Amino acid sequence: MTNLLQLTTSLFDGAGKQGVSSQLSDELITGLKALNTDLQVSVRDFAASPTPHLDHAWLQALFTPATDRSAEQSAKVSHSDSLIAELQAANTVVIGVPMYNFSIPSMLKAWIDHVSRAGVTFSYTEKGPQGLLTGKKVYLVIAMGGKHAEGVTDFVRPYLRTVLGFLGMTDIDFVVADGLAMGDESRAQGLQQAHEQIKALLTKAQVAANDNSDVLTEEQAA
């Protein structure tokens, strides 16, 4: 069984509406489900269940030994633990990411702060840091109002590639819809670009699935 974790992070989600990054994420997941009928999807919806930002009290709770924690501290740690457990259980991760002020939504940064825990999702070794969340496929579905060059005015892609890679998630593909706030023609072009990227990624996933099936067949025959 394959577990997929979907993070929807758009501030436009809620009250029956979806931001573009969430809509495109759903399109991608629908395609992945068509390729794998055993796919189990869990959704972490930031609009329905806001991810709290870490503060001094939260850090105190995390650094306090379990036997010494108050009930409030235990609840804080339990919430962070649940976010980590969701991520650890996922084989595939799809994150819808709107660009806000050249970077990611603050609640997505808060989620990253919760799941980045030394000794659990990464470790420090004599050779440097080592990510412990390996073997996962990650899709980042990004919506941008303008057109941005990565690392110039787009800090979404380099940051997420770096921080997810630090945690061990290096198999990352991007879907990017840009120019969405630059007029109807630009918006249409940006959405069409994203739809085509999704189709290409689904084709890639289909080829990979077929290759894995061939390998299993050969092993069974042996």
Side-chain angles (χ1 to χ4, degrees):
M1 182 180 296
T2 302
N3 295 317
L4 184 150
L5 173 61
Q6 178 183 10
L7 302 183
T8 64
T9 74
S10 174
L11 294 178
F12 288 98
D13 287 357
K17 299 180 180 179
Q18 284 186 313
V20 171
S21 62
S22 298
Q23 294 175 42
L24 293 172
S25 293
D26 284 351
E27 179 182 334
L28 172 62
I29 291 171
T30 296
L32 293 173
K33 290 171 70 175
L35 296 177
N36 181 0
T37 57
D38 292 329
L39 189 66
Q40 299 295 313
V41 179
S42 299
V43 181
R44 173 63 59 175
D45 184 345
F46 287 19
S49 181
T51 298
H53 292 78
L54 293 184
D55 56 14
H56 178 70
W58 214 295
L59 289 177
Q60 273 194 319
L62 289 170
F63 286 111
T64 298
T67 55
D68 297 332
R69 289 173 188 150
S70 66
E72 182 181 0
Q73 287 178 322
S74 294
K76 289 180 180 295
V77 175
S78 178
H79 181 79
S80 296
D81 287 346
S82 69
L83 297 180
I84 291 173
E86 281 182 342
L87 183 55
Q88 289 174 325
N91 310 103
T92 303
V93 182
V94 175
I95 308 178
V97 190
M99 173 188 278
Y100 295 151
N101 298 318
F102 309 109
S103 189
I104 64 174
S106 66
M107 275 197 288
L108 178 55
K109 176 58 168 64
W111 178 85
I112 289 168
D113 291 340
H114 280 285
V115 302
S116 301
R117 190 183 301 176
V120 180
T121 56
F122 72 93
S123 64
Y124 289 112
T125 71
E126 293 180 354
K127 297 182 180 179
Q130 177 181 354
L132 303 178
L133 298 176
T134 57
K136 301 182 187 300
K137 177 65 187 180
V138 179
Y139 296 98
L140 298 177
V141 184
I142 301 170
M144 302 178 180
K147 293 182 179 293
H148 300 273
E150 183 174 350
V152 180
T153 54
D154 166 20
F155 301 103
V156 174
R157 282 175 283 187
Y159 172 70
L160 289 175
R161 185 183 283 110
T162 299
V163 71
L164 295 176
F166 181 83
L167 299 178
M169 293 175 280
T170 57
D171 186 2
I172 300 173
D173 279 316
F174 293 87
V175 174
V176 179
D178 59 7
L180 300 179
M182 297 174 62
D184 292 342
E185 182 177 352
S186 178
R187 181 181 180 85
Q189 290 175 348
L191 291 173
Q192 181 60 33
Q193 168 185 282
H195 295 318
E196 291 174 357
Q197 290 171 349
I198 288 172
K199 289 180 182 178
L201 290 176
L202 291 174
T203 299
K204 179 180 175 182
Q206 178 68 75
V207 170
N210 291 340
D211 289 345
N212 289 337
S213 178
D214 290 341
V215 170
L216 289 175
T217 302
E218 291 175 1
E219 289 177 347
Q220 290 167 351

